[in-house]
Amino acid sequence: MKVPRFDVTPSRAAGLVGVAVILLAPALPGVHGVQLSIFVGVIATAIAALSLDVLVGRTGQLSLAHAAFLGLGAFTTVNVGGRGAPWPIALLAGVIAAAAVATVAGLPSLRIRGLQIAIVTLALQYATEQYAFKNQTITAAAQSLDRPNLIRTDPALYFFAVALLAIALLVRRRLSVTRAGRALLAVRDIEGRANAFGIEPGPTKLLAYSISGGLVGLGGALLAFKNAPGTLTSLDPFALMRSLLLVAVVIVGGAGSGAGIIAAAFFIDGVPQLFESVGVPFTHVHLDLGTYAPLLSAGLLVAAIVLQPTGIGGVLNDQLRRLGRRREDPPSPRPRLVDLGEAPEAAAQLRDVGRGLSLSMPVRALLEAEHVTVRYGGVNALSDLNLEVRRGEIVGLIGANGAGKSTFFNAASGFAPTTGSIRYRGIDLLHNAPARRTSYGLARTFQDMGLVRAETVAENVLLAQTWLTKYPAAAGILGLGSTLRSEADVRRRAAVALELFGLDHLAKERLGDLPYGTMRIVEIASAVAAGPDLLLLDEATAGLGPEEAHALGDRFLALRNELGLTLVVIEHHVPLIARVCDYCYCLESGMLISEGTPAQVTADPKVVASFLGRAAAGSGRGRARAGK
Amino acid sequence: MTNGEPLLRVDGLSSGYGALRVLFDVTFDVPAGEVVALMGSNGAGKTTTLKTITGQLKVLSGAVHLDGDDVTGLAPEALVRRGVVLVPEGRGMLRDLSVAQNLELGAYTVADRAQVDAAFERAYTVFPILAERREQKAGTLSGGQQQMLAIARALMSNPRLLLVDEASLGLSPVMTETAFDLIGQANRDAGVTVLIVEQNVLALDLAHRAYVLERGQVVDMAEGRAVRQMQGRLRDAYLGKAGR
């Protein structure tokens, strides 16, 4: 029988220690009711900061209204619970109210970015403080909310808070392993290109706001119960200063790091309260730490930014990674040369995608471009281009730099203002959004990388398959059966694609840490994992040496022969074109100057002059020498 | 210049990314006035070598000497003041600035306006297309034009030593030749010493001296006529594996 082995990695060990400390806190010597109540407040702060980090870490946007959202959650809970509703309903109401308001607050993010968003949320914070939190009819209900029996004792309330913290962490975790979380990273880092994966930036951003709002509402509800009955009188926890403190917690903790943010919440919010008055050893002097709290957090903030821009979480990750590395040799940063004998199996697994389009549609060519013109400013990047790509062909697109090759890919995939017509299986693509074209079976790579460098190789391959995972974000976070199956499916596909390109040993490496040539192959593997019928590859071999380029050529042939893909490749590597292409088009200054078999095109004097240059003669020399 | 002292001496250099060690005891010389090629395939440590020399990565051990002075770990801007300029992989354009503004930045350390004007004149003569597009945003240039701009920009400050990271990346064959020609021209006409990092064996056409980097170590070296033989060796090795 197979015994499941639990591998104790450094990060798991650190996590277990953290959980143990949190769970055993009430039993620590010297901890009593007052401290526990402070801990509960710290946990509420941590939940709010974790929620803010969903925005900061995943979308790169800053909200200065999170204290207001926290207050909206708290007062909604108070009002619903205070009128006699059962406590779970009151809590849920707080969550929903905060989520709804945050979503509305997110609407401007569809048009503006960065600093402007921060200012809009600042205005929202101010207005909420002035008009909602100073409104007696809203705040008076605090008098009538009673703490539920279940959490009446201090330890019970503490464990309730820990449970809510666990929920917040779990939601974040689920977000990071499902489609919505990946879509958010794509919108953050490659917004203009996320569409190519079937991601719509607008709804994705609003989703981040609603999830963030829901989480902060959870923290608000916790504060409502903590202060029940009737002590939710000070509005300080919901004031602008509190919003700024939450930002500080996220920065000191490190965007994206749950553990770092919890630790930062403890240092910034908890320590000054726990040690309000500290005796200096060997003297009779007592320092009032409460007074110095702002100084302490300001100092921590400056130190964090100067010494460690990635925060506590960054330090933790570096140390844990270092510990982990000691136990194994670093992987080679290059793709392995794999035996393509198993390609047919990979093919069967990768081709299996549901598509609304009928394959049997009788068309002359898979892709037909007629009179395609792309104009930027006064310059024609493409003029009246006509070309066709038949099913099962590998078509080469060559030409000097600036000839319009990438522009044609942009036109076909929906990233350039195009006139004329580009038909794919008889459907005019120009009337369809980029995401729709992806679902029709088009996938492409970008000359300067359309992936998220800050993420791992595996995450990027999953990201490229976003259009295949159709489940709603909420279902993903709840981990419903269908989403788990969908995730398992794309993970299996990712594994197959990585293996096909000899990248499996690099799955967990950060993409940006890999050599350029390897990154490019990861992008091709990602595009293939998305299950396309037509693959547009922009300078696939850039950054590769001749032998790696040759190996990639083998992959192209396998993609065609085994997976049945049709390929259009923009390529400067002449031997590769000659070896794999069935047909070739050469562009110059946006116009077609030559077409035919690779042999015909590379012999065309116009092509030699504009594209090949001495290399044509050079490779001839090389051959002559090899023949001797 | 001291007799026999190379312009750049890299001595026993080791470095890497965080816990990942990439370079192991890399040693090579770049004599003044020469073009030196550092050949290696994807992941061999070429870019890492340049990043370490220019102080973008922490040196774990070893030293970098410029003109006999220890410049190990010196920041990129300090090296620019000493006449060492890098043409980075992926070109490092400021995409929202115009061609002319990008060139202007290349001359940032040059105080004398007349010199800057002369540098502009030179750049536009050598690269007429840049003159044509001087007002255009760099981000809208094609890949090859961006590579041209990157080289032109590096030459704006009249460097003594030019470090070029994969000039041929993403360039058409004809454009690759042009890029190499331009680098060779800068060396011959302006007397710029060049360290070029490449996997394209054509780079050896202009090299006076070459080193081969494999898995972070220098495994082969050639000088003068032997560079041609190395070119043949590398080509055969590549073709051998490629089995054409």
Side-chain angles (χ1 to χ4, degrees), chain B residues 165-207:
Chain B
D165 194 358
E166 289 222 39
S168 69
L169 198 71
L171 295 191
S172 69
V174 110
M175 211 30 103
T176 303
E177 280 169 11
T178 313
F180 287 154
D181 284 350
L182 291 169
I183 293 164
Q185 197 183 327
N187 170 256
R188 274 190 315 276
D189 302 351
V192 184
T193 307
V194 180
L195 172 62
I196 180 168
V197 147
E198 261 302 335
Q199 38 189 332
N200 189 327
V201 290
L202 279 182
L204 293 174
D205 280 348
L206 56 141

mmCIF file of all heavy atoms in Angstrom, chain B residues 165-207:
data_model
loop_
_atom_site.group_PDB
_atom_site.id
_atom_site.type_symbol
_atom_site.label_atom_id
_atom_site.label_comp_id
_atom_site.label_asym_id
_atom_site.label_seq_id
_atom_site.Cartn_x
_atom_site.Cartn_y
_atom_site.Cartn_z
ATOM 1 N N ASP B 165 25.005 43.172 -25.038
ATOM 2 C CA ASP B 165 24.338 41.926 -24.680
ATOM 3 C C ASP B 165 23.420 41.474 -25.815
ATOM 4 O O ASP B 165 22.373 42.069 -26.045
ATOM 5 C CB ASP B 165 23.524 42.131 -23.388
ATOM 6 C CG ASP B 165 23.099 40.804 -22.782
ATOM 7 O OD1 ASP B 165 23.399 39.762 -23.393
ATOM 8 O OD2 ASP B 165 22.481 40.813 -21.707
ATOM 9 N N GLU B 166 23.831 40.440 -26.529
ATOM 10 C CA GLU B 166 23.032 39.831 -27.610
ATOM 11 C C GLU B 166 22.412 40.849 -28.555
ATOM 12 O O GLU B 166 21.204 40.996 -28.628
ATOM 13 C CB GLU B 166 21.933 38.941 -27.021
ATOM 14 C CG GLU B 166 22.529 37.693 -26.409
ATOM 15 C CD GLU B 166 21.732 36.443 -26.734
ATOM 16 O OE1 GLU B 166 21.264 36.336 -27.879
ATOM 17 O OE2 GLU B 166 21.611 35.596 -25.860
ATOM 18 N N ALA B 167 23.289 41.525 -29.299
ATOM 19 C CA ALA B 167 22.818 42.518 -30.257
ATOM 20 C C ALA B 167 21.931 41.869 -31.314
ATOM 21 O O ALA B 167 21.066 42.516 -31.879
ATOM 22 C CB ALA B 167 24.002 43.197 -30.917
ATOM 23 N N SER B 168 22.129 40.577 -31.581
ATOM 24 C CA SER B 168 21.411 39.941 -32.689
ATOM 25 C C SER B 168 20.015 39.474 -32.301
ATOM 26 O O SER B 168 19.263 39.015 -33.138
ATOM 27 C CB SER B 168 22.208 38.732 -33.187
ATOM 28 O OG SER B 168 22.198 37.712 -32.211
ATOM 29 N N LEU B 169 19.685 39.618 -31.009
ATOM 30 C CA LEU B 169 18.413 39.088 -30.521
ATOM 31 C C LEU B 169 17.228 39.671 -31.287
ATOM 32 O O LEU B 169 17.024 40.878 -31.304
ATOM 33 C CB LEU B 169 18.272 39.433 -29.036
ATOM 34 C CG LEU B 169 17.261 38.628 -28.261
ATOM 35 C CD1 LEU B 169 17.749 37.212 -28.073
ATOM 36 C CD2 LEU B 169 17.012 39.273 -26.921
ATOM 37 N N GLY B 170 16.472 38.819 -31.947
ATOM 38 C CA GLY B 170 15.270 39.268 -32.637
ATOM 39 C C GLY B 170 15.530 40.067 -33.900
ATOM 40 O O GLY B 170 14.646 40.746 -34.387
ATOM 41 N N LEU B 171 16.755 40.028 -34.412
ATOM 42 C CA LEU B 171 17.037 40.771 -35.639
ATOM 43 C C LEU B 171 17.043 39.830 -36.838
ATOM 44 O O LEU B 171 17.443 38.676 -36.737
ATOM 45 C CB LEU B 171 18.389 41.477 -35.545
ATOM 46 C CG LEU B 171 18.513 42.576 -34.493
ATOM 47 C CD1 LEU B 171 19.805 43.345 -34.711
ATOM 48 C CD2 LEU B 171 17.332 43.526 -34.557
ATOM 49 N N SER B 172 16.608 40.356 -37.972
ATOM 50 C CA SER B 172 16.656 39.566 -39.198
ATOM 51 C C SER B 172 18.125 39.375 -39.566
ATOM 52 O O SER B 172 18.985 40.117 -39.104
ATOM 53 C CB SER B 172 15.922 40.301 -40.316
ATOM 54 O OG SER B 172 16.649 41.452 -40.684
ATOM 55 N N PRO B 173 18.408 38.367 -40.408
ATOM 56 C CA PRO B 173 19.815 38.132 -40.761
ATOM 57 C C PRO B 173 20.498 39.396 -41.266
ATOM 58 O O PRO B 173 21.618 39.720 -40.862
ATOM 59 C CB PRO B 173 19.729 37.074 -41.858
ATOM 60 C CG PRO B 173 18.458 36.344 -41.562
ATOM 61 C CD PRO B 173 17.517 37.358 -40.983
ATOM 62 N N VAL B 174 19.802 40.131 -42.140
ATOM 63 C CA VAL B 174 20.420 41.322 -42.713
ATOM 64 C C VAL B 174 20.678 42.358 -41.615
ATOM 65 O O VAL B 174 21.718 43.016 -41.563
ATOM 66 C CB VAL B 174 19.525 41.870 -43.848
ATOM 67 C CG1 VAL B 174 18.867 43.171 -43.495
ATOM 68 C CG2 VAL B 174 20.309 42.027 -45.118
ATOM 69 N N MET B 175 19.728 42.454 -40.703
ATOM 70 C CA MET B 175 19.841 43.433 -39.635
ATOM 71 C C MET B 175 20.924 43.009 -38.639
ATOM 72 O O MET B 175 21.619 43.845 -38.074
ATOM 73 C CB MET B 175 18.482 43.515 -38.945
ATOM 74 C CG MET B 175 18.106 44.851 -38.366
ATOM 75 S SD MET B 175 18.773 46.271 -39.169
ATOM 76 C CE MET B 175 17.361 46.805 -40.046
ATOM 77 N N THR B 176 21.062 41.705 -38.432
ATOM 78 C CA THR B 176 22.115 41.199 -37.553
ATOM 79 C C THR B 176 23.472 41.622 -38.099
ATOM 80 O O THR B 176 24.340 42.104 -37.379
ATOM 81 C CB THR B 176 22.041 39.660 -37.468
ATOM 82 O OG1 THR B 176 20.750 39.311 -37.004
ATOM 83 C CG2 THR B 176 23.094 39.110 -36.524
ATOM 84 N N GLU B 177 23.626 41.445 -39.420
ATOM 85 C CA GLU B 177 24.891 41.858 -40.040
ATOM 86 C C GLU B 177 25.114 43.349 -39.855
ATOM 87 O O GLU B 177 26.217 43.784 -39.523
ATOM 88 C CB GLU B 177 24.864 41.531 -41.538
ATOM 89 C CG GLU B 177 25.174 40.076 -41.808
ATOM 90 C CD GLU B 177 24.890 39.713 -43.257
ATOM 91 O OE1 GLU B 177 24.665 40.638 -44.078
ATOM 92 O OE2 GLU B 177 24.889 38.502 -43.558
ATOM 93 N N THR B 178 24.047 44.113 -40.066
ATOM 94 C CA THR B 178 24.175 45.564 -39.895
ATOM 95 C C THR B 178 24.612 45.903 -38.480
ATOM 96 O O THR B 178 25.512 46.722 -38.273
ATOM 97 C CB THR B 178 22.832 46.267 -40.198
ATOM 98 O OG1 THR B 178 22.326 45.729 -41.414
ATOM 99 C CG2 THR B 178 22.991 47.760 -40.314
ATOM 100 N N ALA B 179 23.966 45.252 -37.510
ATOM 101 C CA ALA B 179 24.310 45.535 -36.113
ATOM 102 C C ALA B 179 25.780 45.215 -35.854
ATOM 103 O O ALA B 179 26.505 46.004 -35.250
ATOM 104 C CB ALA B 179 23.402 44.737 -35.185
ATOM 105 N N PHE B 180 26.222 44.046 -36.327
ATOM 106 C CA PHE B 180 27.624 43.670 -36.120
ATOM 107 C C PHE B 180 28.550 44.629 -36.858
ATOM 108 O O PHE B 180 29.605 45.016 -36.354
ATOM 109 C CB PHE B 180 27.876 42.225 -36.579
ATOM 110 C CG PHE B 180 27.285 41.198 -35.649
ATOM 111 C CD1 PHE B 180 26.931 39.936 -36.114
ATOM 112 C CD2 PHE B 180 27.091 41.475 -34.296
ATOM 113 C CE1 PHE B 180 26.395 38.983 -35.263
ATOM 114 C CE2 PHE B 180 26.559 40.532 -33.442
ATOM 115 C CZ PHE B 180 26.206 39.280 -33.923
ATOM 116 N N ASP B 181 28.140 45.022 -38.100
ATOM 117 C CA ASP B 181 28.953 45.982 -38.852
ATOM 118 C C ASP B 181 29.124 47.275 -38.059
ATOM 119 O O ASP B 181 30.210 47.847 -37.991
ATOM 120 C CB ASP B 181 28.288 46.304 -40.204
ATOM 121 C CG ASP B 181 28.481 45.163 -41.192
ATOM 122 O OD1 ASP B 181 29.281 44.251 -40.868
ATOM 123 O OD2 ASP B 181 27.849 45.175 -42.254
ATOM 124 N N LEU B 182 28.003 47.722 -37.463
ATOM 125 C CA LEU B 182 28.043 48.980 -36.711
ATOM 126 C C LEU B 182 28.990 48.866 -35.522
ATOM 127 O O LEU B 182 29.747 49.794 -35.218
ATOM 128 C CB LEU B 182 26.647 49.321 -36.203
ATOM 129 C CG LEU B 182 25.650 49.718 -37.289
ATOM 130 C CD1 LEU B 182 24.249 49.764 -36.718
ATOM 131 C CD2 LEU B 182 26.047 51.058 -37.885
ATOM 132 N N ILE B 183 28.945 47.729 -34.864
ATOM 133 C CA ILE B 183 29.812 47.529 -33.710
ATOM 134 C C ILE B 183 31.277 47.497 -34.161
ATOM 135 O O ILE B 183 32.149 48.120 -33.567
ATOM 136 C CB ILE B 183 29.413 46.242 -32.971
ATOM 137 C CG1 ILE B 183 28.029 46.420 -32.347
ATOM 138 C CG2 ILE B 183 30.436 45.890 -31.901
ATOM 139 C CD1 ILE B 183 27.364 45.133 -31.935
ATOM 140 N N GLY B 184 31.516 46.776 -35.282
ATOM 141 C CA GLY B 184 32.870 46.713 -35.830
ATOM 142 C C GLY B 184 33.359 48.092 -36.232
ATOM 143 O O GLY B 184 34.514 48.467 -35.988
ATOM 144 N N GLN B 185 32.440 48.869 -36.801
ATOM 145 C CA GLN B 185 32.776 50.221 -37.248
ATOM 146 C C GLN B 185 33.147 51.108 -36.054
ATOM 147 O O GLN B 185 34.120 51.858 -36.108
ATOM 148 C CB GLN B 185 31.550 50.781 -37.968
ATOM 149 C CG GLN B 185 31.812 51.974 -38.837
ATOM 150 C CD GLN B 185 30.499 52.470 -39.443
ATOM 151 O OE1 GLN B 185 29.605 51.675 -39.712
ATOM 152 N NE2 GLN B 185 30.397 53.762 -39.636
ATOM 153 N N ALA B 186 32.353 50.994 -34.985
ATOM 154 C CA ALA B 186 32.646 51.789 -33.787
ATOM 155 C C ALA B 186 34.038 51.450 -33.280
ATOM 156 O O ALA B 186 34.778 52.307 -32.797
ATOM 157 C CB ALA B 186 31.600 51.520 -32.711
ATOM 158 N N ASN B 187 34.391 50.175 -33.381
ATOM 159 C CA ASN B 187 35.698 49.722 -32.919
ATOM 160 C C ASN B 187 36.820 50.259 -33.808
ATOM 161 O O ASN B 187 37.789 50.827 -33.319
ATOM 162 C CB ASN B 187 35.718 48.191 -32.878
ATOM 163 C CG ASN B 187 37.112 47.637 -32.649
ATOM 164 O OD1 ASN B 187 37.754 47.140 -33.564
ATOM 165 N ND2 ASN B 187 37.578 47.770 -31.409
ATOM 166 N N ARG B 188 36.653 50.122 -35.124
ATOM 167 C CA ARG B 188 37.705 50.542 -36.053
ATOM 168 C C ARG B 188 37.844 52.061 -36.107
ATOM 169 O O ARG B 188 38.920 52.605 -35.958
ATOM 170 C CB ARG B 188 37.400 50.036 -37.468
ATOM 171 C CG ARG B 188 37.872 48.642 -37.750
ATOM 172 C CD ARG B 188 37.751 48.332 -39.246
ATOM 173 N NE ARG B 188 36.464 48.774 -39.791
ATOM 174 C CZ ARG B 188 35.342 48.047 -39.714
ATOM 175 N NH1 ARG B 188 35.364 46.867 -39.119
ATOM 176 N NH2 ARG B 188 34.225 48.498 -40.235
ATOM 177 N N ASP B 189 36.701 52.729 -36.308
ATOM 178 C CA ASP B 189 36.752 54.160 -36.572
ATOM 179 C C ASP B 189 36.876 54.988 -35.298
ATOM 180 O O ASP B 189 37.622 55.961 -35.252
ATOM 181 C CB ASP B 189 35.509 54.610 -37.353
ATOM 182 C CG ASP B 189 35.391 53.854 -38.659
ATOM 183 O OD1 ASP B 189 36.362 53.135 -38.991
ATOM 184 O OD2 ASP B 189 34.350 53.959 -39.337
ATOM 185 N N ALA B 190 36.122 54.621 -34.258
ATOM 186 C CA ALA B 190 36.131 55.445 -33.055
ATOM 187 C C ALA B 190 37.069 54.871 -31.993
ATOM 188 O O ALA B 190 37.247 55.467 -30.937
ATOM 189 C CB ALA B 190 34.717 55.578 -32.502
ATOM 190 N N GLY B 191 37.618 53.708 -32.273
ATOM 191 C CA GLY B 191 38.565 53.125 -31.328
ATOM 192 C C GLY B 191 37.931 52.613 -30.051
ATOM 193 O O GLY B 191 38.595 52.481 -29.029
ATOM 194 N N VAL B 192 36.625 52.333 -30.102
ATOM 195 C CA VAL B 192 35.948 51.823 -28.909
ATOM 196 C C VAL B 192 36.296 50.350 -28.703
ATOM 197 O O VAL B 192 36.246 49.557 -29.640
ATOM 198 C CB VAL B 192 34.408 51.952 -29.067
ATOM 199 C CG1 VAL B 192 33.715 51.521 -27.799
ATOM 200 C CG2 VAL B 192 34.030 53.360 -29.448
ATOM 201 N N THR B 193 36.659 50.011 -27.486
ATOM 202 C CA THR B 193 36.880 48.606 -27.144
ATOM 203 C C THR B 193 35.519 47.971 -26.896
ATOM 204 O O THR B 193 34.638 48.600 -26.316
ATOM 205 C CB THR B 193 37.744 48.498 -25.877
ATOM 206 O OG1 THR B 193 38.913 49.280 -26.079
ATOM 207 C CG2 THR B 193 38.120 47.071 -25.588
ATOM 208 N N VAL B 194 35.353 46.734 -27.369
ATOM 209 C CA VAL B 194 34.025 46.129 -27.303
ATOM 210 C C VAL B 194 34.084 44.743 -26.660
ATOM 211 O O VAL B 194 34.941 43.921 -27.011
ATOM 212 C CB VAL B 194 33.405 45.995 -28.717
ATOM 213 C CG1 VAL B 194 32.020 45.360 -28.621
ATOM 214 C CG2 VAL B 194 33.326 47.344 -29.414
ATOM 215 N N LEU B 195 33.182 44.509 -25.717
ATOM 216 C CA LEU B 195 32.943 43.145 -25.238
ATOM 217 C C LEU B 195 31.543 42.780 -25.694
ATOM 218 O O LEU B 195 30.560 43.407 -25.298
ATOM 219 C CB LEU B 195 33.036 43.064 -23.712
ATOM 220 C CG LEU B 195 32.613 41.717 -23.118
ATOM 221 C CD1 LEU B 195 33.503 40.584 -23.611
ATOM 222 C CD2 LEU B 195 32.611 41.759 -21.594
ATOM 223 N N ILE B 196 31.466 41.784 -26.590
ATOM 224 C CA ILE B 196 30.172 41.426 -27.156
ATOM 225 C C ILE B 196 29.804 40.023 -26.697
ATOM 226 O O ILE B 196 30.624 39.110 -26.730
ATOM 227 C CB ILE B 196 30.207 41.575 -28.699
ATOM 228 C CG1 ILE B 196 28.869 41.209 -29.307
ATOM 229 C CG2 ILE B 196 31.305 40.768 -29.310
ATOM 230 C CD1 ILE B 196 28.787 41.621 -30.767
ATOM 231 N N VAL B 197 28.597 39.890 -26.204
ATOM 232 C CA VAL B 197 28.136 38.629 -25.662
ATOM 233 C C VAL B 197 27.108 38.077 -26.637
ATOM 234 O O VAL B 197 26.183 38.787 -27.016
ATOM 235 C CB VAL B 197 27.541 38.931 -24.270
ATOM 236 C CG1 VAL B 197 26.401 38.024 -23.961
ATOM 237 C CG2 VAL B 197 28.609 38.854 -23.201
ATOM 238 N N GLU B 198 27.298 36.873 -27.136
ATOM 239 C CA GLU B 198 26.490 36.404 -28.269
ATOM 240 C C GLU B 198 26.329 34.896 -28.270
ATOM 241 O O GLU B 198 27.127 34.179 -27.689
ATOM 242 C CB GLU B 198 27.194 36.771 -29.589
ATOM 243 C CG GLU B 198 26.663 38.009 -30.273
ATOM 244 C CD GLU B 198 25.182 37.949 -30.612
ATOM 245 O OE1 GLU B 198 24.639 36.846 -30.770
ATOM 246 O OE2 GLU B 198 24.559 39.020 -30.692
ATOM 247 N N GLN B 199 25.291 34.420 -28.978
ATOM 248 C CA GLN B 199 25.309 33.019 -29.359
ATOM 249 C C GLN B 199 25.370 32.857 -30.871
ATOM 250 O O GLN B 199 25.537 31.755 -31.371
ATOM 251 C CB GLN B 199 24.159 32.229 -28.776
ATOM 252 C CG GLN B 199 22.836 32.902 -28.696
ATOM 253 C CD GLN B 199 21.879 32.040 -27.887
ATOM 254 O OE1 GLN B 199 22.024 30.835 -27.853
ATOM 255 N NE2 GLN B 199 20.936 32.656 -27.219
ATOM 256 N N ASN B 200 25.272 33.961 -31.588
ATOM 257 C CA ASN B 200 25.362 33.913 -33.038
ATOM 258 C C ASN B 200 26.837 33.907 -33.439
ATOM 259 O O ASN B 200 27.570 34.857 -33.153
ATOM 260 C CB ASN B 200 24.645 35.140 -33.611
ATOM 261 C CG ASN B 200 24.504 35.055 -35.115
ATOM 262 O OD1 ASN B 200 25.366 34.506 -35.788
ATOM 263 N ND2 ASN B 200 23.417 35.605 -35.625
ATOM 264 N N VAL B 201 27.265 32.826 -34.128
ATOM 265 C CA VAL B 201 28.691 32.688 -34.439
ATOM 266 C C VAL B 201 29.191 33.767 -35.399
ATOM 267 O O VAL B 201 30.397 33.967 -35.530
ATOM 268 C CB VAL B 201 29.029 31.288 -35.021
ATOM 269 C CG1 VAL B 201 28.908 30.233 -33.958
ATOM 270 C CG2 VAL B 201 28.163 30.971 -36.213
ATOM 271 N N LEU B 202 28.262 34.475 -36.070
ATOM 272 C CA LEU B 202 28.684 35.563 -36.955
ATOM 273 C C LEU B 202 29.453 36.639 -36.189
ATOM 274 O O LEU B 202 30.255 37.359 -36.759
ATOM 275 C CB LEU B 202 27.469 36.196 -37.623
ATOM 276 C CG LEU B 202 26.887 35.485 -38.838
ATOM 277 C CD1 LEU B 202 25.728 36.292 -39.391
ATOM 278 C CD2 LEU B 202 27.954 35.291 -39.905
ATOM 279 N N ALA B 203 29.188 36.733 -34.874
ATOM 280 C CA ALA B 203 29.871 37.746 -34.062
ATOM 281 C C ALA B 203 31.374 37.537 -34.106
ATOM 282 O O ALA B 203 32.158 38.478 -33.937
ATOM 283 C CB ALA B 203 29.365 37.697 -32.624
ATOM 284 N N LEU B 204 31.786 36.282 -34.358
ATOM 285 C CA LEU B 204 33.225 35.992 -34.371
ATOM 286 C C LEU B 204 33.904 36.597 -35.599
ATOM 287 O O LEU B 204 35.121 36.703 -35.646
ATOM 288 C CB LEU B 204 33.454 34.485 -34.306
ATOM 289 C CG LEU B 204 33.033 33.865 -32.960
ATOM 290 C CD1 LEU B 204 33.145 32.354 -33.008
ATOM 291 C CD2 LEU B 204 33.894 34.415 -31.834
ATOM 292 N N ASP B 205 33.104 37.003 -36.605
ATOM 293 C CA ASP B 205 33.675 37.674 -37.775
ATOM 294 C C ASP B 205 34.416 38.933 -37.374
ATOM 295 O O ASP B 205 35.373 39.333 -38.017
ATOM 296 C CB ASP B 205 32.559 38.053 -38.768
ATOM 297 C CG ASP B 205 32.127 36.866 -39.608
ATOM 298 O OD1 ASP B 205 32.847 35.840 -39.569
ATOM 299 O OD2 ASP B 205 31.084 36.951 -40.281
ATOM 300 N N LEU B 206 33.923 39.607 -36.328
ATOM 301 C CA LEU B 206 34.570 40.865 -35.972
ATOM 302 C C LEU B 206 35.432 40.767 -34.722
ATOM 303 O O LEU B 206 36.029 41.741 -34.303
ATOM 304 C CB LEU B 206 33.532 41.999 -35.838
ATOM 305 C CG LEU B 206 32.367 41.842 -34.899
ATOM 306 C CD1 LEU B 206 32.094 43.168 -34.207
ATOM 307 C CD2 LEU B 206 31.138 41.461 -35.685
ATOM 308 N N ALA B 207 35.505 39.570 -34.115
ATOM 309 C CA ALA B 207 36.221 39.446 -32.851
ATOM 310 C C ALA B 207 37.724 39.250 -33.059
ATOM 311 O O ALA B 207 38.150 38.529 -33.949
ATOM 312 C CB ALA B 207 35.657 38.283 -32.055
#
